[in-house]
Amino acid sequence: MAPRQILIAAFPQAELLDIACPSDVFDAANRLRSKPAYEIRLGGLDGRPIRCQSGITLTPEVRLDQVTGPLDTLVVAGGLGHLSAAGDGRVLAQLRRLAKVSRRVASVCTGATLLAAAGLLTGRRCTTHWADAPRLAAQFPDIEVDPAPLYVRDGEVYTSAGVTSGLDLALALVEQDHGPSLSRQIARHLVAYLQRPGNQAQVSMFLTAPAPEHHVVRDLIAHIASHLDTDLGTPALAARAGLSTRQLSRLFDTHLGTTPGKHVRRVRTETAAQLLSTTDLPLSAVARRCGFGSTESLRQSFLDHYDTPPSAYRRLHRGAQGALA
């Protein structure tokens, strides 16, 4: 079988990792097989060197208008220059043309902006870097922007979140093409997380910004994190803060953008995820330690938050740690 044709489309001020992550995954697939699985090319609008946002310059192999297809996969990079590129009618015309001759189309990070501007996301669900999601949703109300997942598939259009999630997406594409064994070999070879599911959250409480400056909210956040197995209902939290439940809800909405109940559930679920991936505690003990009334409550919260049951989450994440040890 001839190698699958991969074209990565880039532009000035592209993010280098948006190009390197998928290209290195496809390249690793070639090196781990007896026959090359992919032919990877970098394309630019006019073929001139592309200065990435890091200052490193890449030379495209082809001009976009010289690619005739058919292509297996068109990958569109993101980066600081994505708005300028999305405002260039020549770029958008080429992306629309290339999408028609591609089996599937993908974007990394803010590359979703170019797909949206080219009309390739109309009526579809997609993701992008969490920090850019509000702008993308406001600019293109005819698409459904979900800022949570690492990557999203809608038909044969794939979008991924910030930067290194392009690696997760590329691993998923290789698995789709050649099965999970090769994908896992690549992850081990690249010393990458083996493998993060697309529905894993981009941002967790362990990666978020510092606690808000408001002393009441800050105190309650610390209290919640260290007392997960106690009563953390809104009335109990309001009583601790000396506020009405309405005042407390208003504070959480202002400083955290969520309700007290949703914040508590998120912290409990993400703490449970940490315990499942780093300890051998049984599910009942994890549920009890994190304040879930039962393993079924833990399971339902996991399905809502990660779209996967806790047992499957543990198998995936504990297996990944073992494989990379």
Side-chain angles (χ1 to χ4, degrees):
M1 179 183 295
R4 298 172 185 266
Q5 299 294 307
I6 308 291
L7 177 68
I8 301 178
F11 47 83
Q13 292 293 294
E15 165 64 63
L16 182 60
L17 280 174
D18 288 7
I19 300 167
C21 282
S23 65
D24 277 13
V25 168
F26 294 127
D27 175 64
N30 288 342
R31 288 182 280 118
L32 290 171
R33 283 170 49 92
S34 58
K35 294 183 179 180
Y38 301 99
E39 180 179 332
I40 312 147
R41 292 182 292 171
L42 177 66
L45 178 63
D46 51 18
R48 288 186 290 186
I50 294 171
R51 184 177 175 84
C52 297
Q53 65 184 49
S54 62
I56 293 176
T57 299
L58 302 178
T59 302
E61 296 176 68
V62 292
R63 286 175 23 182
L64 295 183
D65 63 0
Q66 293 176 334
V67 180
T68 58
L71 295 174
D72 180 81
T73 309
L74 169 66
V75 180
V76 180
L80 291 180
H82 72 283
L83 292 176
S84 294
D88 190 328
R90 298 170 302 165
V91 174
L92 301 184
Q94 291 303 321
L95 293 182
R96 283 190 286 265
R97 182 184 66 82
L98 291 168
K100 292 178 181 178
V101 297
S102 300
R103 179 172 70 92
R104 60 192 177 193
V105 176
S107 65
V108 181
C109 196
T110 50
T113 298
L114 279 78
L115 296 189
L120 301 175
L121 294 180
T122 302
R124 297 183 185 273
R125 175 172 170 258
C126 70
T127 192
T128 188
H129 192 290
W130 62 268
D132 197 59
R135 182 206 58 79
L136 185 66
Q139 185 176 354
F140 299 98
D142 54 352
I143 65 179
E144 179 187 348
V145 181
D146 187 344
L150 290 175
Y151 56 86
V152 167
R153 175 183 182 179
D154 190 323
E156 292 307 316
V157 177
Y158 301 74
T159 51
S160 61
V163 193
T164 57
S165 61
L167 186 149
D168 301 291
L169 174 57
L171 286 171
L173 295 178
V174 170
E175 179 173 342
Q176 181 187 98
D177 296 340
H178 300 285
S181 177
L182 179 60
S183 184
R184 292 187 180 119
Q185 287 181 59
I186 295 169
R188 294 188 190 100
H189 184 74
L190 297 177
V191 197
Y193 203 107
L194 181 75
Q195 295 165 255
R196 297 188 294 179
N199 50 33
Q200 181 168 312
Q202 290 188 43
V203 180
S204 76
M205 69 176 192
F206 302 105
L207 297 174
T208 50
E213 294 182 359
H214 195 285
H215 67 95
V216 172
V217 180
R218 187 170 63 248
D219 173 75
L220 288 176
I221 287 175
H223 175 76
I224 290 166
S226 58
H227 295 81
L228 290 177
D229 59 347
T230 65
D231 180 8
L232 296 176
T234 300
L237 293 175
R240 175 181 174 80
L243 302 171
S244 69
T245 56
R246 179 175 295 181
Q247 289 172 316
L248 180 67
S249 296
R250 188 178 300 118
L251 274 179
F252 266 67
D253 182 56
T254 299
H255 295 281
L256 297 179
T258 189
T259 67
K262 288 180 179 179
H263 177 77
V264 168
R265 194 164 189 249
R266 179 187 182 193
V267 174
R268 282 176 165 156
T269 305
E270 293 186 3
T271 302
Q274 288 290 305
L275 291 174
L276 289 171
S277 60
T278 58
T279 75
D280 294 318
L281 287 172
L283 291 183
S284 58
V286 172
R288 187 166 55 252
R289 183 175 294 191
C290 295
F292 290 101
S294 64
T295 54
E296 178 55 33
S297 296
L298 171 64
R299 181 178 182 276
Q300 188 57 57
S301 190
F302 252 77
L303 288 172
D304 292 342
H305 196 72
Y306 294 113
D307 197 28
T308 191
S311 55
Y313 184 97
R314 165 170 271 173
R315 283 195 302 272
L316 176 67
H317 290 75
R318 294 289 280 175
Q321 289 183 359
L324 295 176

